[in-house]
Amino acid sequence: MSEVIDTLAAALNAHDLEGAAALIHEDYRSEQPAHPGAAFVGRAQMHANWQAMFAGIPDFHAELIRSVDDGDTTWSEWSWSGTRSDGQDFKVRGVTLFELRNGKITAGRLYMEEVDRLAVPIEEAVENLSGQRPDTPPNPQQ
């Protein structure tokens, strides 16, 4: 199954939209659990999405960091990068869980997020999540 994901990565890096779409089942189901409104069904929407991605990020590059098969699901860690056509950097990292059947990707759960442009210290990140700022422990190297 990882061969399908390797082939997907190669197609994305070649900007081979038809090659990538050929790996997707016609009734593909896509979920973005952190962004439930972005869920969709169908190869046609996947095709439209990636057509816009390639147009908007002409130097799009996908790095498949690692993947592992678990039954009919392949878990993959990705780093996507490039420069948008408006000149802004594009950096996305995350994990995808793709269900495969008969050599086609039938469903995906994508946990892909933009990389923060500004480094946020852990104390601020925890405070943004919880509303409470953690105490900073003493540095043992001092």
Side-chain angles (χ1 to χ4, degrees):
M1 291 188 321
S2 290
E3 313 82 56
V4 173
I5 304 307
D6 290 340
T7 303
L8 175 63
L12 294 176
N13 283 326
H15 296 207
D16 178 4
L17 183 55
E18 300 311 319
L23 300 169
I24 304 298
H25 189 276
E26 184 177 317
D27 299 322
Y28 171 75
R29 293 174 292 105
S30 181
E31 293 179 58
Q32 292 73 39
H35 308 282
F40 68 90
V41 175
R43 180 189 312 136
Q45 186 64 57
M46 170 271 172
H47 193 280
N49 295 349
W50 279 98
Q51 186 171 33
M53 290 287 287
F54 291 148
I57 309 160
D59 62 346
F60 175 89
H61 177 75
E63 178 186 357
L64 180 59
I65 297 169
R66 65 181 60 93
S67 70
V68 65
D69 296 333
D70 179 24
D72 65 351
T73 301
T74 296
W75 295 61
S76 303
E77 181 180 1
W78 298 86
S79 178
W80 296 346
S81 61
T83 304
R84 293 177 10 167
S85 56
D86 64 7
Q88 289 188 42
D89 281 343
F90 170 80
K91 292 185 195 264
V92 170
R93 298 266 331 234
V95 173
T96 61
L97 287 76
F98 287 123
E99 294 176 22
L100 290 98
R101 191 174 345 109
N102 300 324
K104 298 277 188 190
I105 301 171
T106 59
R109 293 174 59 88
L110 286 73
Y111 296 89
M112 302 296 293
E113 295 289 333
E114 283 188 78
V115 174
D116 289 338
R117 295 180 194 280
L118 302 173
V120 175
I122 188 61
E123 295 83 6
E124 187 176 332
V126 170
E127 184 176 13
N128 289 341
L129 287 170
S130 70
Q132 297 293 312
R133 190 169 191 88
D135 293 332
T136 303
N139 186 341
Q141 297 178 0
Q142 293 180 352

